[in-house]
Amino acid sequence: QVQLVESGGGLVQAGGSLSLSCAASGHTFSNYLLAWFRQTPGKLREFVAGIKENGISTLYPSSVKGRFTISKDNTKNTLNLQMTSLKPEDSAIYYCAARESPSGSYYDAGSYPYWGQGTQVTVSS
């Protein structure tokens, strides 16, 4: 079983940048499909970025495409999310997630059995 721990959240002004990291332990990242989700009170978790096991194929929803970049470092067992041109609506708790199965939609939070505890990102206007 893999354990995930996010870090890097905080407060930033609109237009600014922030980087999140997710450290994994228990299993190597190389065999997992990884993703970042975010959630605000009263809403479902929203997919914001995904990366395949090969570390090359990525996917973003239109809401963040061009502003967010997901990457992973298999040697360090870390997943990263670089966020730029942040907007107040990007404010949320951000979670990293992992699954072993390559099948299924990136967007389906229920398909990821492993989650971190979350890190708060607040973007002020």
Side-chain angles (χ1 to χ4, degrees):
Q1 185 171 351
V2 61
Q3 291 81 42
L4 305 172
V5 178
E6 301 95 338
S7 62
L11 174 65
V12 63
Q13 287 189 331
S17 301
L18 203 61
S19 293
L20 305 182
S21 292
C22 175
S25 62
H27 278 275
T28 178
F29 255 176
S30 60
N31 298 325
Y32 288 79
L33 185 149
L34 306 169
W36 288 94
F37 285 76
R38 65 188 181 189
Q39 188 172 25
T40 54
K43 293 190 176 182
L44 297 175
R45 288 188 182 182
E46 175 192 15
F47 170 80
V48 296
I51 188 166
K52 285 191 173 181
E53 298 90 328
N54 61 18
I56 299 173
S57 301
T58 58
L59 182 69
Y60 306 91
S62 58
S63 58
V64 307
K65 195 170 186 177
R67 300 188 299 121
F68 289 13
T69 302
I70 188 172
S71 63
K72 70 170 185 173
D73 187 334
N74 286 336
T75 61
K76 297 180 179 179
N77 243 21
T78 57
L79 175 70
N80 304 299
L81 184 68
Q82 176 68 33
M83 305 183 290
T84 63
S85 301
L86 283 163
K87 306 173 182 179
E89 52 263 43
D90 293 319
S91 298
I93 298 176
Y94 282 71
Y95 299 89
C96 63
R99 71 185 197 208
E100 294 168 280
S101 171
S103 61
S105 170
Y106 276 88
Y107 290 76
D108 181 10
S111 69
Y112 296 83
Y114 307 112
W115 293 86
Q117 82 289 351
T119 185
Q120 178 71 49
V121 172
T122 303
V123 184
S124 63
S125 57

